[in-house]
Amino acid sequence: EWDVALIDDGYRFGGTCLNYGCIPTKMFVLPADFMRSPEAAAHVDVTMPTPSTDWVTVRDRIFGRIDPISTGGEAWRAQASNVTLYRQTARFVGERVLEVAGETITAPLIVLAAGSRCWSPASIEGLDEAWASGRVHSSDTVMRIDEAPRRLIILGGGFIAAEFAHVFSAFGSQVTLVVRGDRLLRREDDEISRRFTEAAGRYVNLRLRHTTRRVEADA
C-alpha cells in the first residue's frame, strides 16, 4: 500500500470532468435534445407538442447529484489512512521536492494531473471590468446561473462553445456565436465542421470572421 499525497487546490474537489466538464454538460445536453425533438420529428412527418422545462429545476437536479459526489470523494480521501490530502497550491522547490501548505514533501514518483483551466483573453479591452458586473461567465460558472438568459453571446467556435450554444438556444435563449474563423469546430474533419456550421446557423446567430476587441457592461 503506497503512501500518497493528493494535492488539489480547486474550488470544487474532483476536477474538471466531474464539476465543470463532461458530466454536467452532457446532463444539460440531454434535456436540450428533448427540447428540440419536435423540430427533428417534423422531418419525418411527426407532429409533437412544444416541450417546456425549467432551467432551475434541471440545474438543481444535475448539481444535486454531482455536488455530493465531489463532497463525498473529498471526505473519503481525507480520512483514508494512506492518503494525505492537501487543498492548497504546491510548487517545485527541487528535484522531486514540493512545497505545499508550509511543508516540504518528496516522493520517487510525482504525477502531474492538473486538468484544464478556463482562459480569459487579456486582449479584450474592458473584460476585467465586465467580470465584476456578474453578467460575464466562463464555462465553469455559466451552468450554475439562476435562469437561462434572454440573450447570450458566446465567444469562440470550438466544441465547448458549440455545446453551450445548443443547450441555451434549446432552453429559449437568443444565442450569438462570435467566431474568429470561417466555421465552427475547425479542429474536426472538414466536412463535419462545414455541415455542423450550416446546421448551427439554423438556430443561433453566427458572426463568423469576427474578432472581439472590447466588452462594455451597460444597462
Side-chain angles (χ1 to χ4, degrees), residues 45-71:
D45 304 312
V46 175
T47 302
M48 299 177 63
T50 302
S52 62
T53 189
D54 178 76
W55 171 268
V56 171
T57 301
V58 174
R59 180 202 65 185
D60 291 349
R61 174 181 61 82
I62 292 170
F63 291 108
R65 296 181 182 182
I66 289 174
D67 289 347
I69 297 174
S70 172
T71 302

Short mmCIF file of all heavy atoms in Angstrom, two decimals, residues 45-71:
data_model
loop_
_atom_site.label_atom_id
_atom_site.label_comp_id
_atom_site.label_asym_id
_atom_site.label_seq_id
_atom_site.Cartn_x
_atom_site.Cartn_y
_atom_site.Cartn_z
N ASP A 45 -42.43 13.78 -40.66
CA ASP A 45 -43.88 13.98 -40.68
C ASP A 45 -44.57 13.57 -39.38
O ASP A 45 -45.71 13.09 -39.38
CB ASP A 45 -44.51 13.22 -41.86
CG ASP A 45 -43.88 13.63 -43.18
OD1 ASP A 45 -43.77 14.85 -43.42
OD2 ASP A 45 -43.49 12.74 -43.95
N VAL A 46 -43.89 13.79 -38.28
CA VAL A 46 -44.49 13.55 -36.96
C VAL A 46 -44.66 14.89 -36.27
O VAL A 46 -43.70 15.67 -36.17
CB VAL A 46 -43.61 12.63 -36.10
CG1 VAL A 46 -44.18 12.50 -34.68
CG2 VAL A 46 -43.47 11.26 -36.74
N THR A 47 -45.87 15.16 -35.81
CA THR A 47 -46.14 16.41 -35.10
C THR A 47 -46.14 16.16 -33.60
O THR A 47 -46.84 15.26 -33.11
CB THR A 47 -47.50 16.99 -35.53
OG1 THR A 47 -47.49 17.22 -36.94
CG2 THR A 47 -47.78 18.29 -34.79
N MET A 48 -45.35 16.93 -32.88
CA MET A 48 -45.25 16.78 -31.42
C MET A 48 -45.59 18.10 -30.76
O MET A 48 -45.35 19.17 -31.33
CB MET A 48 -43.83 16.35 -31.02
CG MET A 48 -43.38 15.02 -31.61
SD MET A 48 -41.67 14.62 -31.17
CE MET A 48 -41.78 14.50 -29.38
N PRO A 49 -46.15 18.05 -29.56
CA PRO A 49 -46.42 19.30 -28.83
C PRO A 49 -45.11 19.98 -28.45
O PRO A 49 -44.07 19.34 -28.30
CB PRO A 49 -47.19 18.84 -27.59
CG PRO A 49 -46.80 17.40 -27.41
CD PRO A 49 -46.59 16.86 -28.80
N THR A 50 -45.16 21.29 -28.29
CA THR A 50 -43.97 22.05 -27.92
C THR A 50 -43.59 21.74 -26.48
O THR A 50 -44.39 21.93 -25.56
CB THR A 50 -44.23 23.56 -28.07
OG1 THR A 50 -44.61 23.84 -29.41
CG2 THR A 50 -42.98 24.35 -27.71
N PRO A 51 -42.38 21.25 -26.24
CA PRO A 51 -41.98 20.91 -24.87
C PRO A 51 -41.63 22.15 -24.07
O PRO A 51 -41.36 23.22 -24.62
CB PRO A 51 -40.74 20.02 -25.08
CG PRO A 51 -40.15 20.51 -26.37
CD PRO A 51 -41.32 20.94 -27.22
N SER A 52 -41.61 22.02 -22.78
CA SER A 52 -41.19 23.11 -21.90
C SER A 52 -40.46 22.52 -20.71
O SER A 52 -40.66 21.36 -20.34
CB SER A 52 -42.40 23.93 -21.41
OG SER A 52 -43.27 23.11 -20.64
N THR A 53 -39.58 23.32 -20.15
CA THR A 53 -38.85 22.88 -18.96
C THR A 53 -38.43 24.10 -18.17
O THR A 53 -38.61 25.24 -18.62
CB THR A 53 -37.62 22.04 -19.34
OG1 THR A 53 -37.06 21.46 -18.17
CG2 THR A 53 -36.56 22.89 -20.03
N ASP A 54 -37.91 23.88 -17.00
CA ASP A 54 -37.49 24.96 -16.12
C ASP A 54 -35.99 24.84 -15.87
O ASP A 54 -35.52 23.80 -15.41
CB ASP A 54 -38.26 24.88 -14.79
CG ASP A 54 -37.83 25.95 -13.81
OD1 ASP A 54 -38.23 27.11 -13.99
OD2 ASP A 54 -37.06 25.63 -12.88
N TRP A 55 -35.25 25.90 -16.19
CA TRP A 55 -33.80 25.88 -16.06
C TRP A 55 -33.35 25.51 -14.64
O TRP A 55 -32.48 24.67 -14.44
CB TRP A 55 -33.22 27.23 -16.46
CG TRP A 55 -31.76 27.37 -16.16
CD1 TRP A 55 -31.18 27.87 -15.04
CD2 TRP A 55 -30.68 26.97 -17.01
NE1 TRP A 55 -29.82 27.83 -15.13
CE2 TRP A 55 -29.48 27.27 -16.33
CE3 TRP A 55 -30.62 26.39 -18.28
CZ2 TRP A 55 -28.23 27.01 -16.87
CZ3 TRP A 55 -29.37 26.13 -18.83
CH2 TRP A 55 -28.20 26.44 -18.13
N VAL A 56 -33.97 26.14 -13.64
CA VAL A 56 -33.53 25.93 -12.26
C VAL A 56 -33.75 24.48 -11.84
O VAL A 56 -32.90 23.88 -11.16
CB VAL A 56 -34.26 26.90 -11.30
CG1 VAL A 56 -33.98 26.54 -9.85
CG2 VAL A 56 -33.81 28.33 -11.58
N THR A 57 -34.88 23.90 -12.24
CA THR A 57 -35.16 22.52 -11.88
C THR A 57 -34.12 21.57 -12.50
O THR A 57 -33.62 20.66 -11.84
CB THR A 57 -36.56 22.12 -12.35
OG1 THR A 57 -37.51 22.98 -11.73
CG2 THR A 57 -36.88 20.68 -11.96
N VAL A 58 -33.81 21.80 -13.77
CA VAL A 58 -32.79 20.99 -14.43
C VAL A 58 -31.43 21.18 -13.77
O VAL A 58 -30.72 20.23 -13.47
CB VAL A 58 -32.72 21.33 -15.93
CG1 VAL A 58 -31.56 20.59 -16.60
CG2 VAL A 58 -34.03 20.97 -16.63
N ARG A 59 -31.06 22.44 -13.54
CA ARG A 59 -29.78 22.74 -12.91
C ARG A 59 -29.65 22.06 -11.55
O ARG A 59 -28.63 21.43 -11.24
CB ARG A 59 -29.63 24.25 -12.76
CG ARG A 59 -28.33 24.70 -12.11
CD ARG A 59 -28.48 26.08 -11.50
NE ARG A 59 -29.43 26.09 -10.39
CZ ARG A 59 -29.80 27.19 -9.75
NH1 ARG A 59 -29.34 28.37 -10.12
NH2 ARG A 59 -30.67 27.12 -8.75
N ASP A 60 -30.70 22.18 -10.73
CA ASP A 60 -30.63 21.62 -9.38
C ASP A 60 -30.61 20.09 -9.39
O ASP A 60 -29.99 19.46 -8.52
CB ASP A 60 -31.80 22.13 -8.54
CG ASP A 60 -31.66 23.63 -8.23
OD1 ASP A 60 -30.58 24.19 -8.50
OD2 ASP A 60 -32.64 24.22 -7.74
N ARG A 61 -31.28 19.48 -10.36
CA ARG A 61 -31.21 18.02 -10.48
C ARG A 61 -29.79 17.59 -10.80
O ARG A 61 -29.26 16.63 -10.21
CB ARG A 61 -32.16 17.52 -11.57
CG ARG A 61 -32.02 16.02 -11.85
CD ARG A 61 -32.95 15.57 -12.94
NE ARG A 61 -32.71 16.23 -14.21
CZ ARG A 61 -31.75 15.86 -15.07
NH1 ARG A 61 -30.96 14.84 -14.79
NH2 ARG A 61 -31.59 16.50 -16.21
N ILE A 62 -29.14 18.32 -11.72
CA ILE A 62 -27.79 17.96 -12.15
C ILE A 62 -26.79 18.12 -11.00
O ILE A 62 -26.08 17.18 -10.63
CB ILE A 62 -27.37 18.81 -13.36
CG1 ILE A 62 -28.22 18.43 -14.57
CG2 ILE A 62 -25.89 18.66 -13.65
CD1 ILE A 62 -28.07 19.36 -15.76
N PHE A 63 -26.75 19.31 -10.41
CA PHE A 63 -25.74 19.55 -9.39
C PHE A 63 -26.14 18.94 -8.04
O PHE A 63 -25.28 18.74 -7.17
CB PHE A 63 -25.44 21.04 -9.28
CG PHE A 63 -24.71 21.55 -10.49
CD1 PHE A 63 -25.35 22.36 -11.42
CD2 PHE A 63 -23.40 21.18 -10.73
CE1 PHE A 63 -24.69 22.80 -12.55
CE2 PHE A 63 -22.73 21.63 -11.86
CZ PHE A 63 -23.37 22.44 -12.78
N GLY A 64 -27.43 18.63 -7.89
CA GLY A 64 -27.84 17.88 -6.71
C GLY A 64 -27.28 16.47 -6.70
O GLY A 64 -27.17 15.84 -5.64
N ARG A 65 -26.89 15.97 -7.86
CA ARG A 65 -26.24 14.66 -7.95
C ARG A 65 -24.72 14.80 -7.94
O ARG A 65 -24.02 13.98 -7.34
CB ARG A 65 -26.69 13.95 -9.23
CG ARG A 65 -28.17 13.62 -9.26
CD ARG A 65 -28.55 12.90 -10.54
NE ARG A 65 -29.98 12.62 -10.59
CZ ARG A 65 -30.58 11.97 -11.56
NH1 ARG A 65 -29.86 11.52 -12.59
NH2 ARG A 65 -31.88 11.75 -11.54
N ILE A 66 -24.21 15.81 -8.63
CA ILE A 66 -22.76 15.95 -8.79
C ILE A 66 -22.10 16.45 -7.50
O ILE A 66 -21.06 15.92 -7.09
CB ILE A 66 -22.46 16.92 -9.95
CG1 ILE A 66 -22.80 16.24 -11.28
CG2 ILE A 66 -21.00 17.36 -9.93
CD1 ILE A 66 -22.67 17.16 -12.47
N ASP A 67 -22.65 17.46 -6.86
CA ASP A 67 -22.00 18.05 -5.69
C ASP A 67 -21.79 17.05 -4.56
O ASP A 67 -20.73 17.06 -3.92
CB ASP A 67 -22.78 19.27 -5.21
CG ASP A 67 -22.66 20.45 -6.17
OD1 ASP A 67 -21.80 20.40 -7.07
OD2 ASP A 67 -23.45 21.41 -6.03
N PRO A 68 -22.76 16.16 -4.26
CA PRO A 68 -22.49 15.16 -3.22
C PRO A 68 -21.36 14.19 -3.59
O PRO A 68 -20.65 13.70 -2.70
CB PRO A 68 -23.82 14.42 -3.09
CG PRO A 68 -24.85 15.40 -3.55
CD PRO A 68 -24.18 16.15 -4.66
N ILE A 69 -21.19 13.92 -4.88
CA ILE A 69 -20.07 13.07 -5.31
C ILE A 69 -18.75 13.77 -5.01
O ILE A 69 -17.79 13.16 -4.52
CB ILE A 69 -20.18 12.73 -6.80
CG1 ILE A 69 -21.45 11.91 -7.06
CG2 ILE A 69 -18.95 11.95 -7.27
CD1 ILE A 69 -21.71 11.66 -8.55
N SER A 70 -18.69 15.06 -5.32
CA SER A 70 -17.49 15.85 -5.03
C SER A 70 -17.20 15.88 -3.53
O SER A 70 -16.07 15.62 -3.09
CB SER A 70 -17.66 17.27 -5.58
OG SER A 70 -16.61 18.10 -5.16
N THR A 71 -18.23 16.19 -2.75
CA THR A 71 -18.06 16.27 -1.29
C THR A 71 -17.66 14.92 -0.71
O THR A 71 -16.76 14.83 0.13
CB THR A 71 -19.36 16.77 -0.64
OG1 THR A 71 -19.71 18.04 -1.18
CG2 THR A 71 -19.21 16.88 0.86
#
